[in-house]
Amino acid sequence: MSVQSIARRLTAPDIRARKGGEPIVSLTAYHAHTARLIDPHVDFMLVGDSLGMVMHGMETTVPVTVEMMILQGQAVMRGSSRALVVVDLPFGSYEGSPQQAFATASRVLKETGAGAVKLEGGRRMAETVRFLADRGVPVMGHVGLTPQAINTLGSFKALGRDEASAALILDDARAIAEAGAFSIVLEAISEPLARQITQEVAPPTIGIGGSSACDGQILVLEDMLGLSDRVPRFVKKFADIGPAIGAAVESYASEVRARAFPGPEHVYAPKKG
Protein backbone atom coordinates (compact mmCIF):
# COMPACT_ATOMS: atom_id res chain seq x y z
CA MET A 1 0.00 0.00 0.00
CA SER A 2 1.46 3.32 -1.01
CA VAL A 3 1.45 6.21 1.41
CA GLN A 4 0.58 9.53 -0.17
CA SER A 5 2.32 12.48 1.41
CA ILE A 6 0.10 15.44 2.17
CA ALA A 7 1.64 18.90 2.05
CA ARG A 8 1.51 20.54 5.46
CA ARG A 9 0.65 24.20 5.85
CA LEU A 10 3.39 26.27 7.46
CA THR A 11 2.85 27.22 11.10
CA ALA A 12 3.91 29.97 13.47
CA PRO A 13 6.69 27.76 14.93
CA ASP A 14 7.99 27.21 11.38
CA ILE A 15 8.26 30.97 10.91
CA ARG A 16 9.87 31.49 14.31
CA ALA A 17 12.47 28.81 13.47
CA ARG A 18 13.59 30.86 10.45
CA LYS A 19 15.38 33.43 12.62
CA GLY A 20 18.74 34.19 11.03
CA GLY A 21 18.09 31.76 8.18
CA GLU A 22 16.69 32.06 4.68
CA PRO A 23 14.73 35.32 4.44
CA ILE A 24 10.99 34.99 5.09
CA VAL A 25 8.76 36.11 2.20
CA SER A 26 5.34 37.58 2.84
CA LEU A 27 2.58 39.59 1.15
CA THR A 28 -0.88 40.73 2.13
CA ALA A 29 -3.88 38.84 0.76
CA TYR A 30 -7.58 39.63 0.94
CA HIS A 31 -9.15 37.38 -1.73
CA ALA A 32 -9.22 33.68 -2.55
CA HIS A 33 -7.95 34.16 -6.11
CA THR A 34 -4.95 36.31 -5.17
CA ALA A 35 -4.17 33.98 -2.26
CA ARG A 36 -4.10 31.10 -4.76
CA LEU A 37 -1.65 33.00 -6.97
CA ILE A 38 0.83 33.92 -4.24
CA ASP A 39 0.55 30.77 -2.09
CA PRO A 40 3.40 28.87 -3.83
CA HIS A 41 5.80 31.78 -3.41
CA VAL A 42 5.33 33.12 0.13
CA ASP A 43 5.94 31.72 3.58
CA PHE A 44 3.04 33.55 5.17
CA MET A 45 0.29 35.82 3.94
CA LEU A 46 -1.20 38.54 6.07
CA VAL A 47 -4.89 39.31 5.95
CA GLY A 48 -4.17 42.89 6.92
CA ASP A 49 -6.62 45.50 8.13
CA SER A 50 -5.14 47.51 5.26
CA LEU A 51 -8.04 45.90 3.38
CA GLY A 52 -10.08 48.82 4.64
CA MET A 53 -8.03 51.19 2.53
CA VAL A 54 -7.18 48.86 -0.37
CA MET A 55 -10.57 47.19 -0.85
CA HIS A 56 -13.03 49.66 0.60
CA GLY A 57 -11.49 53.07 -0.04
CA MET A 58 -11.30 54.03 3.63
CA GLU A 59 -8.84 56.76 4.60
CA THR A 60 -7.41 54.73 7.50
CA THR A 61 -7.64 51.23 8.96
CA VAL A 62 -9.54 52.43 12.03
CA PRO A 63 -13.09 51.68 10.77
CA VAL A 64 -12.31 48.03 9.92
CA THR A 65 -14.40 45.51 11.89
CA VAL A 66 -13.79 42.00 13.17
CA GLU A 67 -16.47 40.73 10.80
CA MET A 68 -14.61 42.20 7.82
CA MET A 69 -11.39 40.51 8.91
CA ILE A 70 -13.12 37.15 9.38
CA LEU A 71 -14.84 37.30 5.98
CA GLN A 72 -11.59 38.00 4.12
CA GLY A 73 -9.64 35.58 6.30
CA GLN A 74 -12.02 32.81 5.29
CA ALA A 75 -11.53 33.70 1.62
CA VAL A 76 -7.74 33.64 1.91
CA MET A 77 -7.82 30.28 3.68
CA ARG A 78 -9.98 28.83 0.92
CA GLY A 79 -7.54 30.08 -1.70
CA SER A 80 -4.37 28.79 -0.06
CA SER A 81 -2.98 25.50 1.17
CA ARG A 82 0.71 25.99 1.91
CA ALA A 83 1.47 29.37 3.49
CA LEU A 84 0.73 30.34 7.08
CA VAL A 85 -2.22 32.75 7.17
CA VAL A 86 -2.06 35.55 9.76
CA VAL A 87 -5.09 37.76 10.42
CA ASP A 88 -4.92 41.29 11.85
CA LEU A 89 -6.96 42.08 14.94
CA PRO A 90 -8.65 45.38 14.03
CA PHE A 91 -8.67 48.57 16.08
CA GLY A 92 -10.89 48.43 19.16
CA SER A 93 -11.12 44.65 19.26
CA TYR A 94 -8.20 43.88 21.61
CA GLU A 95 -6.82 46.97 23.36
CA GLY A 96 -9.33 47.00 26.22
CA SER A 97 -7.89 44.04 28.09
CA PRO A 98 -6.07 40.76 27.56
CA GLN A 99 -9.42 39.03 28.03
CA GLN A 100 -10.98 41.08 25.22
CA ALA A 101 -8.01 40.27 23.01
CA PHE A 102 -8.36 36.55 23.72
CA ALA A 103 -12.08 36.60 22.95
CA THR A 104 -11.44 38.31 19.61
CA ALA A 105 -8.39 36.22 18.69
CA SER A 106 -10.06 32.92 19.52
CA ARG A 107 -13.10 33.90 17.43
CA VAL A 108 -10.89 34.87 14.48
CA LEU A 109 -8.92 31.62 14.63
CA LYS A 110 -12.04 29.47 15.02
CA GLU A 111 -14.06 31.13 12.26
CA THR A 112 -11.26 31.47 9.69
CA GLY A 113 -9.01 28.50 10.39
CA ALA A 114 -6.00 30.82 10.22
CA GLY A 115 -2.80 29.97 12.07
CA ALA A 116 -2.02 33.21 13.89
CA VAL A 117 -3.15 36.76 14.63
CA LYS A 118 -1.29 40.06 14.51
CA LEU A 119 -1.72 43.04 16.79
CA GLU A 120 -0.09 46.45 16.96
CA GLY A 121 1.78 48.01 19.87
CA GLY A 122 4.88 47.48 21.96
CA ARG A 123 5.29 47.74 25.72
CA ARG A 124 1.62 48.60 26.28
CA MET A 125 0.61 45.35 24.58
CA ALA A 126 3.24 43.07 26.13
CA GLU A 127 0.87 41.79 28.83
CA THR A 128 -1.72 40.98 26.18
CA VAL A 129 0.81 39.19 23.96
CA ARG A 130 1.88 37.07 26.92
CA PHE A 131 -1.75 36.35 27.87
CA LEU A 132 -2.56 35.16 24.35
CA ALA A 133 0.64 33.17 23.87
CA ASP A 134 0.13 31.39 27.20
CA ARG A 135 -3.33 30.34 26.00
CA GLY A 136 -2.28 28.89 22.68
CA VAL A 137 -2.74 31.89 20.39
CA PRO A 138 0.29 32.53 18.14
CA VAL A 139 0.84 36.30 18.06
CA MET A 140 2.75 38.36 15.51
CA GLY A 141 3.75 41.75 16.89
CA HIS A 142 3.95 45.08 15.06
CA VAL A 143 6.02 48.08 16.15
CA GLY A 144 7.26 51.31 14.61
CA LEU A 145 4.62 52.95 12.47
CA THR A 146 1.35 51.43 13.68
CA PRO A 147 -1.45 52.51 11.30
CA GLN A 148 -4.21 51.92 13.85
CA ALA A 149 -2.71 54.76 15.90
CA ILE A 150 -2.92 57.24 13.00
CA ASN A 151 -5.22 59.57 14.95
CA THR A 152 -2.52 59.87 17.60
CA LEU A 153 0.46 59.96 15.24
CA GLY A 154 -1.19 62.54 12.98
CA SER A 155 0.20 61.17 9.71
CA PHE A 156 1.83 58.14 8.11
CA LYS A 157 5.53 58.89 8.57
CA ALA A 158 8.78 57.12 9.32
CA LEU A 159 9.69 56.80 12.99
CA GLY A 160 12.78 56.08 15.04
CA ARG A 161 14.99 58.48 13.10
CA ASP A 162 16.33 60.20 16.20
CA GLU A 163 17.98 58.68 19.24
CA ALA A 164 15.10 59.19 21.67
CA SER A 165 12.34 57.73 19.49
CA ALA A 166 14.60 54.90 18.35
CA ALA A 167 15.18 53.90 21.97
CA LEU A 168 11.41 53.74 22.58
CA ILE A 169 10.81 51.52 19.55
CA LEU A 170 13.68 49.24 20.55
CA ASP A 171 12.12 48.88 24.00
CA ASP A 172 8.77 48.10 22.35
CA ALA A 173 10.30 45.33 20.25
CA ARG A 174 12.14 43.85 23.23
CA ALA A 175 8.96 43.87 25.33
CA ILE A 176 6.78 41.93 22.91
CA ALA A 177 9.63 39.58 22.01
CA GLU A 178 10.06 38.69 25.67
CA ALA A 179 6.27 38.37 26.01
CA GLY A 180 6.20 35.57 23.44
CA ALA A 181 5.51 37.05 20.00
CA PHE A 182 6.62 34.52 17.37
CA SER A 183 7.66 37.29 14.96
CA ILE A 184 7.58 41.09 14.81
CA VAL A 185 6.70 43.42 11.94
CA LEU A 186 8.93 46.52 11.82
CA GLU A 187 7.18 49.24 9.82
CA ALA A 188 8.67 52.49 8.53
CA ILE A 189 11.60 52.85 10.89
CA SER A 190 15.19 53.89 10.26
CA GLU A 191 17.43 51.29 8.65
CA PRO A 192 20.00 51.18 11.50
CA LEU A 193 17.22 50.72 14.07
CA ALA A 194 15.60 47.86 12.13
CA ARG A 195 19.01 46.24 11.83
CA GLN A 196 19.66 46.62 15.57
CA ILE A 197 16.28 45.20 16.57
CA THR A 198 16.80 42.22 14.27
CA GLN A 199 20.14 41.53 15.91
CA GLU A 200 18.84 41.86 19.47
CA VAL A 201 15.46 40.09 19.58
CA ALA A 202 14.92 36.34 19.45
CA PRO A 203 11.86 36.23 17.13
CA PRO A 204 12.34 36.91 13.42
CA THR A 205 11.64 40.44 12.23
CA ILE A 206 9.56 41.21 9.16
CA GLY A 207 10.45 44.50 7.51
CA ILE A 208 8.12 46.86 5.70
CA GLY A 209 10.16 49.98 5.34
CA GLY A 210 12.84 48.61 7.66
CA SER A 211 16.06 47.01 6.48
CA SER A 212 17.30 44.22 4.24
CA ALA A 213 18.88 42.90 7.43
CA CYS A 214 15.42 41.95 8.73
CA ASP A 215 14.64 38.25 8.81
CA GLY A 216 11.92 38.74 6.21
CA GLN A 217 9.94 41.28 4.21
CA ILE A 218 6.28 42.07 3.58
CA LEU A 219 4.48 44.41 1.19
CA VAL A 220 0.87 45.11 0.34
CA LEU A 221 0.21 43.02 -2.78
CA GLU A 222 -1.69 45.76 -4.58
CA ASP A 223 1.15 48.23 -3.92
CA MET A 224 3.88 46.05 -5.38
CA LEU A 225 1.72 45.21 -8.41
CA GLY A 226 1.19 48.87 -9.30
CA LEU A 227 -2.52 48.92 -8.49
CA SER A 228 -2.28 51.67 -5.87
CA ASP A 229 -2.22 55.32 -6.87
CA ARG A 230 -0.01 56.46 -3.99
CA VAL A 231 2.51 54.26 -2.23
CA PRO A 232 5.06 54.82 0.55
CA ARG A 233 8.77 55.23 -0.13
CA PHE A 234 9.46 51.66 0.96
CA VAL A 235 7.36 50.13 -1.82
CA LYS A 236 9.00 48.80 -4.96
CA LYS A 237 6.65 48.19 -7.88
CA PHE A 238 7.55 44.76 -9.21
CA ALA A 239 4.87 45.14 -11.90
CA ASP A 240 2.56 47.82 -13.23
CA ILE A 241 -0.59 45.93 -14.07
CA GLY A 242 -2.98 48.81 -13.55
CA PRO A 243 -2.59 50.10 -17.13
CA ALA A 244 -2.96 46.56 -18.49
CA ILE A 245 -6.28 46.16 -16.66
CA GLY A 246 -7.44 49.52 -17.98
CA ALA A 247 -6.47 48.56 -21.54
CA ALA A 248 -8.29 45.22 -21.26
CA VAL A 249 -11.47 46.90 -20.02
CA GLU A 250 -11.22 49.51 -22.78
CA SER A 251 -10.99 46.74 -25.40
CA TYR A 252 -13.94 44.92 -23.87
CA ALA A 253 -16.07 48.07 -23.85
CA SER A 254 -15.14 48.81 -27.47
CA GLU A 255 -16.09 45.32 -28.66
CA VAL A 256 -19.39 45.36 -26.77
CA ARG A 257 -20.34 48.70 -28.29
CA ALA A 258 -19.36 47.47 -31.75
CA ARG A 259 -21.29 44.20 -31.19
CA ALA A 260 -18.07 42.33 -31.87
CA PHE A 261 -18.35 40.56 -28.53
CA PRO A 262 -19.72 38.02 -27.91
CA GLY A 263 -18.68 36.26 -31.10
CA PRO A 264 -19.89 32.91 -32.44
CA GLU A 265 -17.36 31.07 -30.29
CA HIS A 266 -18.83 32.61 -27.12
CA VAL A 267 -22.51 31.69 -27.59
CA TYR A 268 -24.51 28.46 -27.49
CA ALA A 269 -26.14 26.93 -30.58
CA PRO A 270 -29.43 25.06 -30.24
CA LYS A 271 -29.28 21.30 -29.95
CA LYS A 272 -29.96 19.47 -33.22
CA GLY A 273 -32.80 17.01 -33.34
Side-chain angles (χ1 to χ4, degrees), residues 21-198:
E22 181 182 19
I24 299 162
V25 179
S26 177
L27 287 166
T28 61
Y30 317 122
H31 319 89
H33 63 277
T34 51
R36 189 171 297 109
L37 288 171
I38 69 175
D39 190 44
H41 309 290
V42 301
D43 300 303
F44 77 87
M45 51 186 81
L46 174 67
V47 185
D49 59 1
S50 51
L51 64 84
M53 302 168 75
V54 175
M55 292 181 62
H56 298 282
M58 297 172 178
E59 292 187 3
T60 72
T61 63
V62 172
V64 174
T65 66
V66 174
E67 288 71 26
M68 292 167 68
M69 298 307 305
I70 289 174
L71 182 65
Q72 304 312 137
Q74 291 169 338
V76 169
M77 285 296 294
R78 285 193 292 267
S80 62
S81 60
R82 174 189 169 276
L84 169 68
V85 174
V86 182
V87 180
D88 265 341
L89 300 185
F91 177 74
S93 71
Y94 64 93
E95 298 93 335
S97 68
Q99 290 77 15
Q100 181 199 25
F102 180 75
T104 303
S106 59
R107 180 187 172 195
V108 167
L109 295 182
K110 283 183 178 182
E111 295 187 29
T112 65
V117 299
K118 182 173 77 64
L119 55 78
E120 296 182 3
R123 289 157 294 170
R124 66 183 177 85
M125 295 309 302
E127 179 186 357
T128 295
V129 171
R130 181 173 287 107
F131 189 89
L132 295 181
D134 286 348
R135 285 157 179 79
V137 177
V139 182
M140 179 176 288
H142 185 154
V143 302
L145 173 60
T146 48
Q148 292 177 9
I150 186 61
N151 290 327
T152 299
L153 296 172
S155 63
F156 295 106
K157 57 185 178 182
L159 301 174
R161 303 181 75 178
D162 61 80
E163 188 172 337
S165 63
L168 293 175
I169 295 172
L170 177 59
D171 287 345
D172 281 340
R174 287 169 172 163
I176 58 174
E178 292 170 2
F182 74 89
S183 62
I184 304 173
V185 171
L186 306 180
E187 180 167 358
I189 62 176
S190 70
E191 198 282 338
L193 175 60
R195 185 178 295 271
Q196 180 182 5
I197 292 172
T198 300

